[in-house]
Amino acid sequence: MAANPSDIPVPAEGIEALVQNRKYAAGFVTDVESERIAPGLSEDVVRLISAKKQEPEWLLEFRLKAFRRWLSMREPHWAHVEHPRIDFQAITYWSAPKSMANRPKSLDEVDPKLIETYNKLGIPLKEQEMLAGVQNVAVDVVFDSVSVATTFKQKLADAGVIFCPISEAVREHPELVKKYLGSVVPFGDNYYAALNSAVFSDGSFVFVPKGVRCPMELSTYFRINERNTGQFERTLIICEDDAQVSYLEGCTAPQRDENQLHAAVVELVALDRAEIKYSTVQNWYPGDENGVGGIYNFVTKRGDCRGRASKISWTQVETGSAITWKYPSCILRGDDSVGEFYSVALTHHRQQADTGTKMIHLGRNTKSTIVSKGISAGHGQQAYRGLVRVLEKAEGARNHTQCDSLLIGDQCGAHTFPYTEIRNPTAIIEHEATTSKIADDQLFYCRARGIGEEDAVSMIVNGFCKDVFKELPMEFAVEAQKLLQVSLEGAVG
Amino acid sequence: MTIHASYGEAFERFAAALPATERAARAAAFDTFAQRGLPDDGIERWHYTNLQPFAAQPVHLALATAAPDLSAWRLDGCDEHVWINGRALNDAAAPAPLPSLDAHAGLAGLHRAFATPGLQLTVPRDVRLDRPLHVLSVSDAREAGEMFHLAHRIRLERGAQALLIVQNIGLPGATRFSTQSLSIELAEGAQLTLVRVQDEARGTTHWLQTAADVGRDARLDVVNVDLPCETADPIPGEAAAAKASGTLIRSDWRVKLAAPGAHAELSGLFGADGRVHLDNQYEIDHAAPHGTSRQWFRGLGFGPSQAILNGRVVVQRGAQKTDSEQRIANLMLAKGAEIDAKPELEIYADDVKCAHGASCGQLDDAAVFYLRARGVPEAQARALLIYSFINDVLARVPHVALRLRLARRITARLGAGLDLSEATLSGAAA
Amino acid sequence: MSQLLQIENLHAEVAGKEILKGLDLAVNAGEVHAIMGPNGAGKSTLSKVLAGAEDYVVTAGTIRYQGRDLAALSAEQRAAHGIFMGFQYPVEIPGVSNMMFLKAALNAQRKERGEPELDAGDFLAWVRHRVKQMKMDPAMLSRGVNQGFSGGEKKRNEILQMLVLEPRLMVLDETDSGLDIDALKIVADGINAMRSPERATILVTHYQRLLDHVQPDVVHVLAAGRIVKSGGPELARELEEKGYGWLQQAA
């Protein structure tokens, strides 16, 4: 039932843009000379990475402890995903564009090829370009293992906000990094977090001091370019008392036939009354329609509402990756703290996702909200896995979870595994889940009104995801809608 | 994997009394147990329950005891079948095939190695049993570590109907370990209502597996009433070790809707207190199109205890037009109680209607006040509301006398007198 | 005529906010009082305070009922002593049948008063008769309390409960809202049936329309937490025509 192209209403940016968007647009490879080490993982590799980054002794110790712990751990198998064994010795743990050997002092010194790469991806690195547009976003871009540029650093510094690559933070603000690194996700937390702690390359560091509202959105853009290279970024965001920040994360990778590993760790710390909003649009290469290639996205993201009345909000739109294994979580430690998780995850073709969240209620009157929207098409397998745990002392804890699945086609799967563990008699917990499909009569109704089938699907899907999209910053919401449309191409008919 | 030597000794004694033809299969089952041991909480399906420690404790075959006075449990108008410590009191000891279980291999092996035949029932085509069957499995452990394993088999032929009440009764005494299996097969259009009442004694470790195959347009109704040992006080005749060791009851319910139009309705009432660990695992497997399933569960956290409810619905590829709904509601009544609920969906077909909900909370203050404003004292108001909370499940017990007995027991536990006369309960609308 | 209820200088707050600010009201046995007033004036607060809802805190003043201080009585004791509040939003209690609910309430009240409890048979007759009076389907007795009832059915059920429990002082909070004309008449008939020299009724209402069917002896206007004007039935009609604005200015 292919829709007649002339039936499709022409979007504002023109039919050409629509057609161009029909493939994984981020799938190109940038031809830059890279410095990379040989594949394989050993204590020597860990030392080498640390040496390349000229790290202090305490950080090397952190890495080595993590590495030793990792060696003693077993790969987790409880997730509802299947993949061949990962050969951790076949992966390259360090790769950087040669031009980064001496990190450019300013944006003007960045390799034009890299600038062009990001322009192609729609991420302008020139501050004036950004100013010309309406965007007001500071960007840190991470290319394979290193951060290549951070924009608007001065403007942020004026406000007292530190936004820089984490490797730079290790040099410039060691006391902060030392205090907070590993304090939310300990080095031995889980298999992939331990691996990350041993070999993490770069990532972003954000510190918003007491009472400061970050004057602009912060954004990091991750790109894996090199073949057989893993990306192990590490992000650390700290908001002191009464501080606020909104942080966006985007990711893409070239189209390659082999699977690549991405094992990131993100740690958020919110002190008294602080608010952190963390949004992700994850568009790693998903593999082709037969399941060849694609990123294994095994990520540990966790926020610690350490202070009273603090708030951490996760919003994610997961359209990419061959396999996603990801549970952005909140530890609601401070009394009256609030945790939120809004998620849209889409699996098409042979993609698999096992994603959800953990809300750990420790403090009194803590509240959490979970809204998860899973879309499965083709042979995609999608699982929501969520934990709501209310501990003995969490008087008055509240949670509401809404967990909906949309199925497109009869070969896909949608699964829901919610764990609720309640140990305080004053808790009020509600979990609701539904499953629906795009009904033939809905599609017919749209078509009878002149809307092409794919647009109808996209319309219905966007309606399904509305509760999550409204949590995203404007630019990301638009990007997310487009991504869904592209990702669902060919799902119906 | 440590398995206490007494298991092997018990098996040798048990096998010696078996007909030679059975020994090989039993020995193979025991070997599986010996190799695999008992499940631990590292296995996802045993996430909240660890049986492994029990494999390391001494056991011995439960002794034969005289028939106890069962009048407190007797139900009028039922055909009664009694087993005491796994031995039939009034059923002919007919040889029965070994149960095949889809469960943890080691645990299944243990059950198969030692299983003695329980109810062996076949209801012929288009026959409707006039009287309910009341199966009583009594455990009467005089010495620590007594164990027995009982296997029931029920088959309803095409269009047959029956009501089966399975009650596990533990007489106060020593610590004990028992397993029980119920293999159920419902042919086309057959209808079975199964009520299970769990009344095990303190100090019991018990595993139940019910596996049902529901045929075309057949229907299975299950009401599982899983209530706590009701007192923190010592019970006459109870060993101190039994009181100290707590109680662990794990029940697996596996219902397969094997042919089009099959229907299953599972409901459960569970409440825990006094170091009771209750783990109920329900699974409905929609393996054919047009199957419908409903699940209603109510849990009460009375006191220091852990109750787990895992309700899983699987919709297989091709099981289109499946319609499934599951509701879990839990009421936390005291500190120290933990309730873990996990309603799971695993769906591989798109034209399905599946919904589930789980909630955990307290009594509604507005409702308590409304009752008080009508003159009902607070304690009684709370009891009434708790009663109404569980009544959704209780009302599904088709045997009126049993339903009343269960209701009275719960309200007695709540400590406030409620009028539970039949007239009030039924609303006397007619 | 004996005084049934006497409220003096009543101050009450909810969630720390003062709603009633020095309210005075006296109701004699045999009388029907209507309390009218704009939204937010404190009408529902007064009903809740009389019924004994704990989240409504009396900060000053006294309420005497049958000569005794009401503050000492819990909500259920007040009910047993004959105070009945008709809820503006009757609560749904799924699973508790109306029958069970009524019996629990009636017998608890009788017990508190030292009267023998009714047995099932007598009780059934008692209730059935009143169900008929309210033109309700007897099948509702086996349904959950207010469960799945329409707004009008819920209000009718409040009056049924009132007939069954035979209170002394009836405080009916917006009982007329959500009723169609026929239902309004049935409800009014129920209220009128309860009129007697030893009982009194307080009708809390926003509109005059219920008062066409239940003739009040006294009409009060409640505004900003106090009774600002009292009069005969004609006051209700005046309010209907002019609204409340002129009174609020006067207050």
Side-chain angles (χ1 to χ4, degrees):
Chain A
M1 281 202 294
N4 182 343
S6 62
D7 288 340
I8 301 171
V10 178
E13 67 268 41
I15 195 85
E16 215 166 314
L18 191 72
V19 173
Q20 263 179 12
N21 269 342
R22 288 287 153 145
K23 289 284 169 213
Y24 185 73
F28 61 89
V29 178
T30 306
D31 180 22
V32 288
E33 241 187 297
S34 281
E35 183 206 353
R36 48 184 293 176
I37 61 176
L41 183 55
S42 64
E43 208 165 294
D44 288 343
V45 169
V46 174
R47 286 178 191 281
L48 185 64
I49 291 171
S50 189
K52 279 195 174 294
K53 299 169 76 74
Q54 300 166 0
E55 285 176 352
E57 189 61 28
W58 63 265
L59 193 51
L60 176 62
E61 272 312 303
F62 177 85
R63 289 178 180 277
L64 289 173
K65 270 195 292 189
F67 178 70
R68 287 167 199 145
R69 177 66 67 84
W70 179 74
L71 287 176
S72 73
M73 294 170 95
R74 278 188 298 173
E75 244 178 288
H77 289 295
W78 41 261
H80 198 273
V81 296
E82 278 173 28
H83 57 82
R85 259 189 89 80
I86 298 170
D87 182 357
F88 289 94
Q89 295 306 330
I91 294 171
T92 297
Y93 290 86
W94 174 265
S95 164
K98 274 232 171 105
S99 57
M100 297 301 293
N102 294 305
R103 196 169 187 272
K105 301 275 176 302
S106 76
L107 287 172
D108 300 336
E109 293 175 26
V110 173
D111 187 337
K113 272 188 185 158
L114 293 176
I115 302 251
E116 194 196 318
T117 299
Y118 285 93
N119 281 340
K120 258 165 113 176
L121 293 168
I123 318 288
L125 293 182
K126 299 270 191 206
E127 291 181 2
Q128 57 271 38
E129 282 174 24
M130 275 184 265
L131 291 170
V134 276
Q135 291 188 56
N136 190 21
V137 181
V139 185
D140 182 26
V141 291
V142 178
F143 194 87
D144 288 337
S145 301
V146 295
S147 167
V148 294
T150 310
T151 61
F152 287 111
K153 281 179 85 167
Q154 193 50 48
K155 188 172 175 194
L156 290 168
D158 291 345
V161 175
I162 303 170
F163 179 40
C164 65
I166 198 161
S167 41
E168 184 181 318
V170 168
R171 290 192 301 273
E172 307 287 330
H173 311 283
E175 71 297 338
L176 288 175
V177 179
K178 202 171 174 178
K179 181 171 176 189
Y180 290 106
L181 184 79
S183 75
V184 183
V185 179
F187 64 82
D189 188 79
N190 66 67
Y191 189 79
Y192 298 110
L195 177 64
N196 175 286
S197 298
V199 302
F200 72 87
S201 40
D202 220 334
S204 295
F205 176 81
V206 177
F207 178 81
V208 189
K210 240 177 212 178
V212 173
R213 278 171 176 243
C214 187
M216 55 176 61
E217 307 261 355
L218 305 184
S219 174
T220 299
Y221 201 88
F222 296 100
R223 174 84 177 164
I224 302 177
N225 190 57
E226 275 299 309
R227 187 176 293 276
N228 290 332
T229 298
Q231 190 171 52
F232 305 93
E233 89 266 4
R234 184 118 194 164
T235 296
L236 177 57
I237 299 178
I238 301 130
C239 268
E240 288 197 326
D241 296 356
D242 302 291
Q244 283 184 24
V245 69
S246 170
Y247 178 91
L248 324 168
E249 172 201 62
C251 10
T252 55
Q255 209 159 325
R256 295 190 186 280
D257 290 345
E258 76 272 11
N259 297 112
Q260 281 172 288
L261 180 62
H262 171 252
V265 170
V266 174
E267 296 178 278
L268 312 182
V269 179
L271 302 184
D272 287 357
R273 298 168 301 280
E275 284 190 35
I276 301 176
K277 187 172 174 62
Y278 193 108
S279 312
T280 304
V281 172
Q282 185 264 104
N283 186 27
W284 294 119
Y285 179 55
D288 69 7
E289 57 271 31
N290 298 314
V292 176
I295 301 290
Y296 289 170
N297 188 33
F298 299 157
V299 170
T300 304
K301 292 184 169 180
R302 193 175 303 157
D304 190 353
C305 284
R306 214 165 275 185
R308 276 190 57 92
S310 54
K311 179 176 174 184
I312 289 178
S313 180
W314 297 99
T315 306
Q316 61 173 26
V317 176
E318 304 279 320
T319 59
S321 297
I323 298 177
T324 297
W325 181 99
K326 180 180 171 189
Y327 315 91
S329 305
C330 295
I331 299 168
L332 302 170
R333 199 183 302 276
D335 291 350
D336 301 304
S337 58
V338 175
E340 295 175 340
F341 174 74
Y342 299 96
S343 170
V344 165
L346 180 143
T347 49
H348 191 193
H349 301 312
R350 303 277 170 176
Q351 281 178 279
Q352 306 174 61
D354 193 298
T355 183
T357 183
K358 291 191 268 188
M359 294 289 174
I360 312 292
H361 291 259
L362 296 168
R364 300 165 71 91
N365 301 316
T366 46
K367 291 186 179 55
S368 60
T369 303
I370 299 170
V371 177
S372 164
K373 306 279 178 176
I375 303 154
S376 288
H379 289 84
Q381 292 295 325
Q382 165 102 222
Y384 165 81
R385 189 181 302 275
L387 168 68
V388 175
R389 179 182 284 155
V390 177
L391 285 125
E392 288 84 346
K393 288 181 180 153
E395 294 288 320
R398 300 283 178 272
N399 165 268
H400 184 81
T401 300
Q402 181 69 44
C403 191
D404 299 320
S405 305
L406 186 69
L407 293 130
I408 304 173
D410 59 1
Q411 298 295 306
C412 55
H415 320 301
T416 313
F417 307 108
Y419 301 62
T420 57
E421 302 180 357
I422 312 303
R423 293 186 201 149
N424 183 297
T426 62
I428 296 184
I429 306 300
E430 291 164 322
H431 171 97
E432 285 294 326
T434 64
T435 300
S436 54
K437 62 174 282 197
I438 294 185
D440 293 341
D441 53 353
Q442 289 173 313
L443 288 180
F444 179 74
Y445 186 75
C446 293
R447 287 169 52 217
R449 295 285 173 271
I451 302 163
E453 199 158 59
E454 291 203 344
D455 286 304
V457 167
S458 145
M459 207 169 73
I460 293 167
V461 167
N462 279 322
F464 176 75
C465 300
K466 195 179 65 211
D467 291 347
V468 173
F469 285 167
K470 73 176 168 44
E471 296 297 325
L472 283 172
M474 191 57 169
E475 300 84 351
F476 263 37
V478 173
E479 190 184 337
Q481 291 198 12
K482 277 192 205 156
L483 262 179
L484 280 192
Q485 185 164 10
V486 173
S487 306
L488 278 173
E489 199 240 337
V492 178
Chain B
M1 202 126 332
T2 330
I3 288 170
H4 197 273
S6 57
Y7 280 93
E9 291 155 17
F11 182 69
E12 270 172 38
R13 189 167 310 160
F14 182 79
L18 289 171
T21 47
E22 267 190 47
R23 278 185 204 149
R26 298 282 198 165
F30 187 81
D31 282 350
T32 310
F33 162 65
Q35 280 159 26
R36 304 292 298 278
L38 294 177
D40 65 40
D41 50 12
I43 300 166
E44 186 58 23
R45 289 202 171 189
W46 290 83
H47 187 74
Y48 294 101
T49 299
N50 185 0
L51 284 186
Q52 224 169 49
F54 295 95
Q57 284 170 18
V59 289
H60 57 89
L61 296 174
L63 306 168
T65 60
D69 174 17
L70 294 173
S71 53
W73 291 281
R74 192 149 283 147
L75 291 171
D76 285 342
C78 294
D79 281 336
E80 196 174 270
H81 301 256
V82 181
W83 280 261
I84 296 165
N85 286 349
R87 292 173 178 82
L89 190 70
N90 48 2
D91 278 43
L98 287 187
S100 61
L101 301 176
D102 176 15
H104 179 270
L107 183 56
L110 175 72
H111 180 77
R112 283 163 58 84
F114 286 100
T116 53
L119 182 72
Q120 307 292 318
L121 172 74
T122 300
V123 184
R125 193 167 156 172
D126 294 326
V127 169
R128 174 187 179 156
L129 294 187
D130 290 336
R131 290 158 67 86
L133 289 174
H134 188 195
V135 170
L136 290 138
S137 171
V138 181
S139 135
D140 183 6
R142 307 285 169 89
E143 286 173 34
E146 290 197 19
M147 70 166 181
F148 68 86
H149 308 270
L150 188 58
H152 309 283
R153 180 180 297 272
I154 294 110
R155 180 176 159 74
L156 268 59
E157 307 277 14
R158 204 168 108 184
Q161 286 182 44
L163 166 58
L164 175 63
I165 299 165
V166 175
Q167 191 161 15
N168 283 76
I169 295 159
L171 302 177
T175 57
R176 65 204 78 178
F177 180 24
S178 60
T179 66
Q180 188 178 208
S181 65
L182 272 156
S183 308
I184 297 170
E185 224 181 307
L186 304 184
E188 188 176 337
Q191 294 190 7
L192 175 70
T193 300
L194 169 65
V195 180
R196 182 252 193 161
V197 181
Q198 189 267 109
D199 274 327
E200 290 289 357
R202 208 146 48 180
T204 299
T205 300
H206 180 72
W207 175 64
L208 164 75
Q209 167 148 313
T210 303
D213 242 39
V214 185
R216 177 180 284 269
D217 299 322
R219 174 181 175 128
L220 174 69
D221 285 273
V222 170
V223 187
N224 178 29
V225 181
D226 212 346
L227 286 170
C229 312
E230 289 161 27
T231 176
D233 305 328
I235 300 168
E238 181 186 51
K243 182 171 188 286
S245 74
T247 308
L248 187 157
I249 312 288
R250 156 83 179 212
S251 309
D252 289 3
W253 302 81
R254 313 283 292 271
V255 176
K256 184 173 184 178
L257 302 183
H263 178 77
E265 240 167 274
L266 309 185
S267 47
L269 171 62
F270 60 100
D273 192 3
R275 306 199 48 229
V276 173
H277 179 99
L278 281 182
D279 186 348
N280 270 298
Q281 304 269 327
Y282 295 86
E283 177 181 300
I284 295 187
D285 181 4
H286 284 264
H290 293 283
T292 49
S293 65
R294 295 288 177 268
Q295 298 181 76
W296 320 103
F297 303 113
R298 292 282 185 273
L300 298 171
F302 280 121
S305 59
Q306 188 179 11
I308 297 108
L309 192 131
N310 193 128
R312 183 176 142 101
V313 172
V314 182
V315 180
Q316 305 282 5
R317 183 144 295 148
Q320 298 290 27
K321 303 287 178 193
T322 285
D323 181 346
S324 138
E325 186 180 353
Q326 181 186 53
R327 298 280 149 201
I328 303 173
N330 298 320
L331 201 52
M332 298 289 279
L333 298 171
K335 274 197 186 310
E338 170 169 351
I339 298 185
D340 305 319
K342 192 164 162 239
E344 296 180 56
L345 285 171
E346 230 181 293
I347 301 174
Y348 300 91
D350 66 332
D351 193 4
V352 301
K353 246 168 66 184
C354 290
H356 70 214
S359 67
C360 185
Q362 301 80 45
L363 291 180
D364 178 5
D365 286 337
V368 174
F369 180 73
Y370 190 57
L371 278 155
R372 290 176 57 211
R374 295 290 174 263
V376 181
E378 182 160 355
Q380 200 185 335
R382 289 186 177 278
L384 191 59
L385 289 170
I386 294 166
Y387 175 76
S388 76
F389 172 79
I390 58 176
N391 197 37
D392 278 0
V393 169
L394 218 47
R396 293 166 187 273
V397 175
H399 191 283
V400 178
L402 176 61
R403 184 164 74 227
L404 280 177
R405 189 179 291 172
L406 292 168
R408 291 203 179 102
R409 222 172 81 186
I410 295 160
T411 51
R413 175 70 180 69
L414 298 171
L418 287 185
D419 178 5
L420 292 176
S421 66
E422 248 171 87
T424 316
L425 282 179
S426 63
Chain C
M1 235 186 277
S2 69
Q3 204 161 65
L4 193 61
L5 180 73
Q6 188 172 25
I7 302 176
E8 279 173 1
N9 187 33
L10 181 65
H11 289 254
E13 58 178 48
V14 58
K17 190 179 175 225
E18 184 167 67
I19 308 286
L20 298 182
K21 304 167 179 170
L23 182 138
D24 298 301
L25 178 69
V27 179
N28 293 320
E31 291 178 347
V32 172
H33 288 234
I35 295 184
M36 305 182 71
N39 287 326
K43 299 192 303 290
S44 284
T45 299
L46 177 61
S47 326
K48 292 273 173 53
V49 166
L50 287 172
E54 278 92 352
D55 35 353
Y56 292 76
V57 181
V58 175
T59 51
T62 55
I63 308 172
R64 300 189 76 77
Y65 168 73
Q66 291 180 322
R68 67 155 78 190
D69 186 359
L70 210 52
L73 299 183
S74 67
E76 50 267 44
Q77 285 171 320
R78 293 178 197 207
H81 285 86
I83 296 179
F84 177 92
M85 179 173 105
F87 284 60
Q88 186 181 359
Y89 303 108
V91 180
E92 293 192 21
I93 312 181
V96 176
S97 72
N98 283 289
M99 192 71 176
M100 198 166 181
F101 176 81
L102 285 168
K103 187 154 190 242
L106 183 65
N107 279 335
Q109 294 193 18
R110 292 179 70 95
K111 202 169 153 194
E112 172 80 17
R113 295 194 292 260
E115 299 163 14
E117 298 185 14
L118 287 187
D119 74 28
D122 290 346
F123 176 71
L124 206 57
W126 181 266
V127 173
R128 283 252 182 88
H129 169 68
R130 283 157 178 81
V131 169
K132 207 176 286 171
Q133 194 178 340
M134 288 307 293
K135 301 194 168 57
M136 294 170 89
D137 178 0
M140 62 78 67
L141 285 171
S142 56
R143 287 166 62 191
V145 175
N146 292 323
Q147 192 179 5
F149 285 26
S150 69
E153 283 176 314
K154 284 181 184 171
K155 295 301 173 71
R156 243 197 271 189
N157 197 21
E158 292 292 290
I159 302 302
L160 170 70
Q161 291 174 22
M162 183 176 85
L163 294 176
V164 168
L165 299 172
E166 297 197 315
R168 188 57 73 84
L169 174 66
M170 293 150 282
V171 185
L172 304 179
D173 190 1
E174 306 263 357
T175 298
D176 50 337
S177 64
L179 294 177
D180 61 29
I181 298 296
D182 292 338
L184 185 71
K185 274 180 139 169
I186 296 166
V187 163
D189 288 348
I191 297 170
N192 286 325
M194 290 292 286
R195 285 181 92 149
S196 79
E198 59 284 350
R199 295 203 178 97
T201 306
I202 298 173
L203 300 172
V204 177
T205 180
H206 193 70
Y207 302 106
Q208 181 249 352
R209 100 189 160 124
L210 177 63
L211 307 183
D212 290 341
H213 302 280
V214 184
Q215 177 81 16
D217 300 297
V218 190
V219 175
H220 306 276
V221 180
L222 177 59
R226 307 177 56 193
I227 302 285
V228 295
K229 193 173 171 64
S230 301
E234 71 288 348
L235 178 57
R237 279 188 286 278
E238 206 178 333
L239 288 168
E240 185 81 359
E241 282 162 27
K242 295 193 191 167
Y244 293 103
W246 60 284
L247 272 170
Q248 275 168 303
Q249 278 155 15

